[in-house]
Amino acid sequence: MSEPRQSFETVAGCKVNVRRAGKGEPLLFLHGAQGAPLWLPFMAALARRFEVIVPEHPGFGLSDTPDWLDNIADLAFFYLDFMAALGLERVNLVGASLGGWIAAEVAVRDQHPLKTLTLAAPSGIHVKGLQPADFFMWSREQAIRNLVADQELAEKMLSQPQSDGQIDLMLKNNFTTAKLAWQPRFYDPHLYKWLHRITVPTLILWGDSDRLMPPAYGPEFRKLIPGSKLLVFKNCGHLPHIEKTGEYVAAVTGFIEGARP
Amino acid sequence: MKFYCFHLMPYADLDLDYYKKYNSAWVTLPNSYYDPKKGHILYNRYLDELEYAEEVGFDGVCVNEHHSNAYGLMPIPGVMAGALARRTKRVKIAVLGRALPLINNPLTVAEEFAMIDVITAGRLVAGFVRGIGAEYHSWGVNPAESHDRFHEAHDLIVRGWTETGPFAFEGKYYHFNYVNVWPRPYQQPHPPIWIPSQGSRETIEWAVDPARKYTYLQTFSPVTALARYMQMYRDEAEKRGYTASPMQLGWAVPTYVADTDEEAYREAKPHVENFFNRFLRMPPEMLLPPGYLSLASMKGVMMAKGAMTGGEKTIDELMKVGMFMCGGVDTIVQKFEEYQKQIGFGYLLTALQFGTLPHDLTKKNMRIFGEKVIPRLRHLAEESSPKAKAV
């Protein structure tokens, strides 16, 4: 697996940890609540075709926690500044879960820097009567078991011991996630009103066995974002990029290549 | 020393087998477990007990705030303080809530406390807390904002009590064009402020500040933690150029006293074990939502809290670490005397009802404590300051 280049970039007064690999069109990946501490196989696979850029959000991982960070809108504006500061244009913006929510908030504000948008099991909206599970009530073990459909994979993940440093990062990531998403729980009550502003080609991905964000949220996003497509992975939980890496990479690559230039 | 009778007003009629179906008596335990007819009897029984505290010689009584659980049934503590305000004549009434970050408009606390203070001609002690972590789940309040909201709400309330209104308040979380608290508090410049805590350096550094000098209460903790945090308070006071008085330090602890050690142990055992194992039962995710503590404290408390969230506790373990004080009169007097001399607290807040402890045993506990224990401890902390660094 190719080693990414790692650097710290300072944007809006905040030093963030950024990993990059590959050449081609820029693909900016926005991670979910558990952060992006490692260069994962799906990133390496995407880097064979794109310039993959994976920042750790302000407040996560090795990035700073800036005083200005209060809510999801702050991160949306941060990533608009981030793309400008790095000179990124025609960006393929790809978000997972909480990162999908951030990506949607970016796109409703300003989609000029974007070529395409991919949202995998994004949070960000609430549909009455469709209650997501309560992530904050899960222990680490429950979270791992509930986030993937394949329980053998869960066992494998659970069998890896957590180092002291990993515990510190987990507590930091959980803290920032609570700050962003505790109340209302993982959504912005105003986002749904403006998703119609998104006109860049948009792909929505969901696992059919997602036990955190109900798969029924997929069609809701598709209805709210004009012209968007929805693709559902079979026997897949909340993290298709990890659980169905091959299908995920093929879907994202095919979608971006098929998007009109 | 000053003696306060602390009450949680638990739902003592709780079906104790609930834990076979639910993992906690907090947040998610269905309120169908609460029978209002039994609740009626309990509320009135508990109020009788707090009124009895005045009769047997306590200096004060304590009510507190908890939400959505069987552990403490005073979600609006001012209701109980109001009832006690008229039925008691001498004791201080310490409201050890309100949980400031849980309350949308902190000015309601300024009003509620001022009302009690005026009705009682200055018998109110104002307790400010952040609430238990579980209550951030129940109340939908962001735990990551807990510290900041606490400090800002506190500033708003104290300014509302001490500054002539109307004035504008321009905070991050609270904004008012016209802060103008009616009634003003009876005690001037404001009622004494107590800060109950389970132990936190941030809280101590804030409470000890010479501009505040608030009484710090360590609640339901092992004696080693009590000693450590009280020493921290005194050290921090010295760093700020003054010596903390014993009246800036208080200890809240469940206590049971009888004529003999054996009788106390036998009578208290099932009820104190119910208290810790059934009423306080909750998983760590409920107790410590992310952001409720600083990252450093979170890691530390996660380890220490094994005592609260780990397996079942026995009365012997609880007595050994000093999370429960239990014994005959001589034993209890000797233990409190020893701890007071070592640790130097000036307020002792005994919870003399806990868990399922019934009315007759509660009253007996209160009577013996009031008549036989208080007179023998009263002189402590009043003759001289404790030896600094004794622990």
Side-chain angles (χ1 to χ4, degrees):
Chain A
M1 192 156 59
S2 63
E3 279 299 309
R5 304 185 301 285
Q6 183 172 4
S7 64
F8 285 95
E9 307 289 339
T10 299
V11 176
C14 176
K15 198 176 71 170
V16 288
N17 183 32
V18 183
R19 292 188 187 83
R20 271 179 275 206
K23 288 202 176 80
E25 294 180 34
L27 186 157
L28 177 60
F29 178 79
L30 302 184
H31 65 72
Q34 296 187 313
L38 299 171
W39 190 254
L40 294 169
F42 84 90
M43 298 173 186
L46 287 169
R48 287 199 275 273
R49 169 65 185 77
F50 304 103
E51 184 195 6
V52 176
I53 305 156
V54 184
E56 289 186 294
H57 307 324
F60 285 82
L62 302 179
S63 297
D64 285 349
T65 302
D67 288 339
W68 51 253
L69 181 59
D70 290 310
N71 55 47
I72 209 81
D74 294 325
L75 285 187
F77 286 115
F78 170 83
Y79 277 113
L80 287 168
D81 279 4
F82 178 90
M83 288 188 281
L86 271 65
L88 302 177
E89 291 174 355
R90 298 186 54 73
V91 173
N92 296 290
L93 185 59
V94 178
S97 187
L98 177 78
W101 178 12
I102 300 167
E105 297 273 3
V106 168
V108 296
R109 282 169 175 75
D110 183 2
Q111 55 188 340
H112 287 100
L114 306 185
K115 181 189 167 201
T116 66
L117 181 64
T118 301
L119 309 174
S123 48
I125 64 169
H126 184 76
V127 181
K128 278 186 185 167
L130 268 184
Q131 196 69 25
D134 188 354
F135 176 76
F136 291 114
M137 278 288 204
W138 287 347
S139 66
R140 176 171 172 270
E141 179 180 344
Q142 287 170 320
I144 288 173
R145 290 194 184 287
N146 286 330
L147 287 174
V148 296
D150 176 0
Q151 289 305 296
E152 277 178 34
L153 177 61
E155 292 295 342
K156 208 175 120 193
M157 291 159 96
L158 284 166
S159 67
Q160 289 159 4
Q162 258 190 319
S163 72
D164 211 47
Q166 284 171 322
I167 291 172
D168 288 339
L169 286 184
M170 178 187 77
L171 291 174
K172 177 177 176 177
N173 293 349
N174 288 347
F175 193 145
T176 303
T177 300
K179 190 186 277 189
L180 299 171
W182 185 274
Q183 185 76 6
R185 192 57 57 88
F186 282 98
Y187 73 98
D188 165 359
H190 305 288
L191 175 62
Y192 81 94
K193 295 185 278 186
W194 304 107
L195 286 172
H196 68 83
R197 285 171 51 87
I198 299 177
T199 53
V200 293
T202 299
L203 175 66
I204 300 153
L205 302 172
W206 229 285
D208 68 348
S209 309
D210 190 329
R211 277 179 284 181
L212 180 57
M213 288 300 292
Y217 268 82
E220 299 292 335
F221 268 98
R222 190 179 45 72
K223 272 188 266 175
L224 289 165
I225 302 177
S228 61
K229 294 189 189 85
L230 171 64
L231 181 64
V232 176
F233 296 110
K234 288 209 172 69
N235 304 318
C236 178
H238 186 63
L239 311 170
H241 51 292
I242 290 173
E243 194 164 12
K244 298 284 176 190
T245 301
E247 290 173 53
Y248 171 88
V249 170
V252 173
T253 306
F255 162 66
I256 293 174
E257 286 178 343
R260 274 179 310 184
Chain B
M1 232 184 355
K2 299 286 185 202
F3 300 87
Y4 280 59
C5 182
F6 187 99
H7 215 307
L8 283 162
M9 302 199 179
Y11 183 58
D13 286 317
L14 178 66
D15 171 3
L16 297 173
D17 283 339
Y18 80 83
Y19 75 98
K20 292 173 185 165
K21 277 176 76 180
Y22 297 95
N23 65 352
S24 179
W26 297 64
V27 187
T28 52
L29 182 67
N31 63 358
S32 51
Y33 275 80
Y34 181 83
D35 177 345
K37 292 193 174 64
K38 291 176 177 169
H40 164 77
I41 293 166
L42 284 173
Y43 270 144
N44 286 283
R45 171 199 146 186
Y46 292 154
L47 284 166
D48 288 346
E49 288 168 5
L50 285 176
E51 290 165 19
Y52 183 61
E54 179 168 80
E55 208 178 310
V56 296
F58 283 87
D59 302 295
V61 294
C62 308
V63 297
N64 47 69
E65 173 178 350
H66 287 295
H67 297 277
S68 302
N69 60 61
Y71 168 87
L73 267 292
M74 288 181 274
I76 309 293
V79 172
M80 290 310 176
L84 292 163
R86 293 275 300 169
R87 297 277 294 185
T88 61
K89 297 297 172 206
R90 176 183 58 80
V91 285
K92 299 279 186 193
I93 300 171
V95 184
L96 304 180
R98 303 297 319 259
L100 302 185
L102 300 184
I103 294 160
N104 291 330
N105 182 350
L107 287 175
T108 60
V109 179
E111 293 173 336
E112 175 189 326
F113 280 2
M115 286 172 70
I116 300 163
D117 202 42
V118 171
I119 292 170
T120 60
R123 288 194 281 130
L124 176 86
V125 174
F128 294 150
V129 301
R130 293 195 298 118
I132 303 275
E135 289 160 342
Y136 288 75
H137 288 278
S138 294
W139 243 222
V141 169
N142 197 328
E145 295 174 353
S146 170
H147 278 109
D148 288 350
R149 280 187 182 268
F150 177 85
H151 290 137
E152 195 175 309
H154 160 273
D155 294 349
L156 171 59
I157 292 165
V158 171
R159 284 187 59 193
W161 280 342
T162 55
E163 289 180 29
T164 300
F167 62 85
F169 186 85
E170 299 148 314
K172 177 171 177 179
Y173 301 101
Y174 310 109
H175 313 265
F176 295 94
N177 282 344
Y178 309 105
V179 177
N180 196 10
V181 177
W182 291 67
R184 296 167 58 220
Y186 189 93
Q187 298 176 83
Q188 290 293 317
H190 59 75
I193 293 173
W194 289 6
I195 308 295
S197 169
Q198 302 219 318
S200 134
R201 171 172 286 282
E202 295 95 328
T203 302
I204 285 174
E205 287 177 350
W206 178 81
V208 77
D209 188 282
R212 289 183 275 270
K213 294 190 178 178
Y214 295 157
T215 295
Y216 174 82
L217 302 178
Q218 185 75 25
T219 58
F220 297 2
S221 304
V223 168
T224 49
L226 173 76
R228 185 167 72 247
Y229 287 113
M230 302 241 146
Q231 188 60 47
M232 190 185 288
Y233 190 106
R234 275 197 297 270
D235 291 345
E236 293 297 323
E238 295 293 339
K239 279 190 210 163
R240 287 160 180 75
Y242 75 96
T243 299
S245 129
M247 305 325 277
Q248 283 171 263
L249 299 170
W251 181 23
V253 60
T255 300
Y256 194 82
V257 59
D259 287 329
T260 66
D261 288 353
E262 183 279 324
E263 184 183 325
Y265 181 95
R266 176 169 41 81
E267 288 176 347
K269 180 176 164 60
H271 308 295
V272 76
E273 289 177 356
N274 286 339
F275 175 67
F276 282 96
N277 297 329
R278 296 291 175 268
F279 289 88
L280 252 179
R281 183 186 190 85
M282 64 180 106
E285 293 71 40
M286 219 181 247
L287 180 66
L288 296 171
Y292 177 74
L293 297 178
S294 71
L295 293 177
S297 302
M298 188 77 156
K299 217 175 163 188
V301 176
M302 268 171 86
M303 313 300 180
K305 275 299 168 200
M308 193 180 272
T309 57
E312 302 264 311
K313 291 285 146 201
T314 65
I315 185 173
D316 304 86
E317 293 166 298
L318 293 162
M319 285 170 66
K320 192 174 164 205
V321 297
M323 286 181 80
F324 179 51
M325 297 291 283
C326 179
V329 173
D330 290 339
T331 305
I332 282 289
V333 167
Q334 181 226 319
K335 276 190 187 168
F336 275 126
E337 189 163 13
E338 182 192 327
Y339 290 146
Q340 198 287 327
K341 286 184 173 164
Q342 276 177 22
I343 297 170
F345 45 87
Y347 286 104
L348 184 58
L349 283 61
T350 44
L352 300 171
Q353 194 285 335
F354 38 82
T356 46
L357 191 73
H359 185 55
D360 57 337
L361 293 182
T362 302
K363 277 194 85 173
K364 180 164 86 76
N365 190 20
M366 291 174 70
R367 190 183 68 247
I368 297 176
F369 195 90
E371 290 175 357
K372 298 185 180 169
V373 178
I374 288 179
R376 289 170 62 185
L377 297 174
R378 174 68 76 188
H379 65 284
L380 294 169
E382 292 184 359
E383 308 161 332
S384 62
S385 305
K387 284 168 267 166
K389 319 267 181 195
V391 178

